[in-house]
């Protein structure tokens, strides 16, 4: 990413390098969590679509409206 120091920053105090490594790990962990959440949402959407299709196939067609009789 732009603006971020290299993965192994040289010449920085050890505390700063450790903080950068910790933040990079947190970003990776959060990215993984978002990917897992996205996958779960996609699975729920697929289940809802399947349920909708099943319900649509079960329900009889709506009765004719009064103006079409």
């Amino acid at each position: 990413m732009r603006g971020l120091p290299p993965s192994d920053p040289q010449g920085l105090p050890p505390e700063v390098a450790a903080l950068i490594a910790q933040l990079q790990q947190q970003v990776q962990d959060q990215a993984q969590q978002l990917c897992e959440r996205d996958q779960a949402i996609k699975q729920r959407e697929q289940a809802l679509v399947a349920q909708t299709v099943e319900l649509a196939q079960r329900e009889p067609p709506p009765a004719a409206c009064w103006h079409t009789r």
Side-chain angles (χ1 to χ4, degrees), residues 37-56:
R37 237 190 245 172
D38 187 48
Q39 185 62 32
I41 289 171
K42 286 179 183 177
Q43 289 173 349
R44 281 188 221 134
E45 286 176 345
Q46 289 173 347
L48 286 172
V49 167
Q51 287 176 349
T52 302
V53 168
E54 182 182 336
L55 286 173

Side-chain angles (χ1 to χ4, degrees), residues 4 16-30:
L4 292 180
V16 174
L19 180 59
I20 290 170
Q22 180 183 7
L23 291 172
Q24 287 174 333
Q25 184 62 48
Q26 288 176 356
V27 168
Q28 288 176 354
D29 292 345
Q30 289 176 350

Side-chain angles (χ1 to χ4, degrees), residues 1 3 9 12-13 15 19-21 23-24 28 31-32 40 43-44 55 57-59 64 66 68:
M1 285 193 232
L12 293 177
E15 308 84 37
L19 180 59
I20 290 170
L23 291 172
Q24 287 174 333
Q28 288 176 354
Q32 178 65 34
Q43 289 173 349
R44 281 188 221 134
L55 286 173
Q57 291 172 346
R58 269 198 268 167
E59 289 182 12
W66 61 270
T68 58

